[in-house]
Amino acid sequence: MKEIKHKRLILCGRIAAVLAVVPILMLGHPDGPDPRNTGAPGDKTCAQASCHVGPGNPTAGSGVEISFPGGLTYSPGVKQTITVRVTESANRFGFQATARPGSNLSNGQAGDFTATDERVQVLCEDGRVKTSACNSAAPVQFAEQTLAGSAANTWSFDWTPPATDVGTINFYVAGNAANGNGTNAGDRIFTRSYTLTPAASAPPPGIRAEQPVLQAFLGGQRLSPGTWLEIYGSNLATANKDWGGLFTENNTKAPSSIDGVSVAIDGKPAAMYFISPNQINVQAPDTIGLGPVSVEVTTPGGKATTTATATAVSPAMLTTPAFKVNGKQYIAALHQDRVFVGPAGLIAGASFRPAKPGDIVTIYTVGCGATEPASPSGVVVAGLRTPKAAARVTIGQATAQAAVALSPGSIGLCQVNATIPNVSNGDQPIELTLDGSPTGQGLFITVQQ
Ligand code: HEM
């Protein structure tokens, strides 16, 4: 397709003067330049003669940038999502990027590019759009914008570094801040390069022996399909990072790895929320078996494994260490106006109000188990999904009317809306059981007639 287009481009160049008013879509160069225009050794740039020439083109060192999730380092074989941004304002945008090993900056290919949405395509240097691999005789790859991708200034795609340490790797990128007039005139071209070094081989991860896996919400050493977990240890990650910017499938699917760190429970990938050197927060896969299951952490430094016992449900209601006041662990429940339930002033800086009989309070919960219809872990909840397990909320000695469902827009979070029964004033014990299995958290809720 590219050769035909290249000839068409030359042809277009000749007749452009004649047909300048022809809509760009038909000629379509915003649908991605030919290979070798990144400004790398052996390449030209978009500003080569008869292309996007203009005052100051190409400008080096600004106007376009690449963000690397792990900074200017790479871990051999560990895929990372690269983000390219043209930082100059314009009406239309384009880019082309390449990754070359320090040992062969003109014709070497370092790793593998993979387009992850319709806004980016990967070309081989022979001009073909890369499907599986580029021809080994012409291995260099070029990530660039597609027509769909020329309307906005930011693109993401995946890069898997070489499986072994090849020393330094140079990235080269050219960016086009175009005026959108459908021609190659009046556009500003920028170039930039980055040198990545292999990450110092990360130390092997370790999972602590004492209480290695705890359920969120102070939910103890419990695990059930789809619940939220905290895994504790050492060398689990080089820095704190959460899932921000890593969702896929139109922002509905959470990542299964962050900076090369991933967790498998019962051999199934967990949804990753947060990593740090000593703690990882994940959602357990909804497909794990029951009984003893393996919990395996993988990092660029290696693997660490422990076991935990899975049950069908493991309810835990939202609370945190901050809600332990004068030796009492209060629940972090919310009134419908989002004010916390509790004695006024319970925690400085937050608003609290006791609940009175008849009030409906919202209790966020994890460990609700399987739902109807099923709710795949790591996927944003859409529609009504109710736990298969029978729920019962008691406050004091009374049973509270309660409706339970997964919280829409959340991932794996159960929402219990409970009506406060007619119980006496004061801090009342509150418990939730699912199919008779209690939280065992010993929480209190403050009631005031
Ligand atoms: C990485 C390098 C390049 C990028 C990112 C790029 C990007 C773009 C973009 C975004 C447009 C739309 C401009 C607008 O509507 O204002 C465009 C148009 C155009 N570009 Fe490029 N371009 C690159 C390299 C080149 C090169 C090397 C040539 C010449 C061989 C070229 C020739 C053209 C032409 C003739 C047009 C007008 C539309 C057309 O006839 O297809 N571009 N390009």
Side-chain angles (χ1 to χ4, degrees):
M1 196 277 290
K2 278 278 159 193
E3 292 79 16
I4 300 165
K5 185 166 145 339
H6 197 60
K7 294 198 176 65
R8 172 156 32 94
L9 188 59
I10 296 169
L11 169 65
C12 298
R14 289 212 189 89
I15 58 179
V18 180
L19 303 171
V21 291
V22 171
I24 187 166
L25 283 180
M26 193 180 77
L27 296 177
H29 205 280
D31 70 338
D34 294 343
R36 288 209 175 268
N37 282 301
T38 64
D43 287 18
K44 296 187 176 121
T45 75
C46 331
Q48 60 181 281
S50 76
C51 300
H52 298 275
V53 290
N57 282 357
T59 303
S62 68
V64 63
E65 64 184 22
I66 303 182
S67 339
F68 300 94
L72 295 181
T73 66
Y74 69 91
S75 297
V78 177
K79 184 166 70 178
Q80 46 179 292
T81 300
I82 307 279
T83 301
V84 173
R85 193 171 290 111
V86 168
T87 53
E88 290 291 305
S89 59
N91 301 327
R92 196 167 211 129
F93 304 89
F95 84 99
Q96 191 176 80
T98 185
R100 313 277 170 89
S103 56
N104 184 357
L105 291 176
S106 302
N107 299 308
Q109 173 56 34
D112 205 35
F113 287 148
T114 309
T116 52
D117 64 22
E118 73 293 345
R119 305 188 64 252
V120 169
Q121 64 190 3
V122 178
L123 297 189
C124 300
E125 68 180 289
D126 58 11
R128 284 175 315 103
V129 173
K130 187 184 92 143
T131 42
S132 52
C134 294
N135 164 341
S136 54
V140 185
Q141 299 175 15
F142 300 85
E144 62 178 29
Q145 96 283 349
T146 61
L147 187 60
S150 67
N153 71 331
T154 304
W155 304 268
S156 287
F157 52 95
D158 285 344
W159 174 58
T160 306
T164 55
D165 170 348
V166 296
T168 60
I169 291 175
N170 282 21
F171 271 72
Y172 298 89
V173 62
N176 186 344
N179 54 17
N181 66 358
T183 78
N184 56 2
D187 306 331
R188 283 159 304 141
I189 304 299
F190 302 91
T191 59
R192 202 154 191 176
S193 66
Y194 300 81
T195 300
L196 276 62
T197 55
S201 52
I207 298 179
R208 75 181 186 192
E210 281 305 302
Q211 303 199 323
V213 179
L214 292 176
Q215 189 171 228
F217 300 176
L218 303 185
Q221 290 199 86
R222 304 181 73 183
L223 161 62
S224 60
T227 194
W228 282 94
L229 300 170
E230 300 153 3
I231 300 167
Y232 292 89
S234 54
N235 298 320
L236 300 177
T238 51
N240 293 16
K241 185 155 185 195
D242 68 25
W243 59 14
L246 299 176
F247 273 59
T248 56
E249 296 173 26
N250 290 331
N251 256 342
T252 63
K253 195 160 179 10
S256 57
S257 84
I258 301 177
D259 283 0
V261 179
S262 59
V263 171
I265 300 178
D266 198 22
K268 295 158 182 120
M272 303 289 294
Y273 164 59
F274 170 78
I275 61 170
S276 73
N278 304 311
Q279 179 179 342
I280 297 175
N281 292 9
V282 300
Q283 184 198 20
D286 58 303
T287 52
I288 59 171
L290 303 184
V293 292
S294 65
V295 177
E296 182 182 77
V297 172
T298 301
T299 74
K303 292 182 187 300
T305 305
T306 185
T307 58
T309 303
T311 50
V313 294
S314 58
M317 298 182 284
L318 176 58
T319 189
T320 74
F323 279 71
K324 185 159 193 168
V325 178
N326 302 331
K328 253 188 202 158
Q329 186 71 52
Y330 289 85
I331 190 170
L334 292 162
H335 287 281
Q336 297 313 291
D337 60 2
R338 313 309 282 174
V339 168
F340 284 113
V341 178
L346 182 69
I347 300 172
S351 312
F352 285 81
R353 178 177 80 242
K356 62 183 184 306
D359 279 354
I360 296 176
V361 299
T362 295
I363 301 165
Y364 290 108
T365 300
V366 292
C368 289
T371 60
E372 189 54 54
S375 184
S377 53
V379 176
V380 173
V381 174
L384 181 63
R385 295 168 194 264
T386 53
K388 289 185 177 172
R392 183 164 176 261
V393 175
T394 54
I395 296 178
Q397 300 311 312
T399 299
Q401 212 189 312
V404 186
L406 284 186
S407 187
S410 78
I411 292 184
L413 202 57
C414 245
Q415 181 169 335
V416 179
N417 287 346
T419 305
I420 303 296
N422 196 3
V423 294
S424 55
N425 292 353
D427 294 336
Q428 294 286 352
I430 178 168
E431 183 55 290
L432 163 71
T433 62
L434 288 171
D435 279 351
S437 170
T439 69
Q441 292 173 290
L443 302 185
F444 289 88
I445 188 165
T446 310
V447 176
Q448 183 73 47
Q449 301 280 336

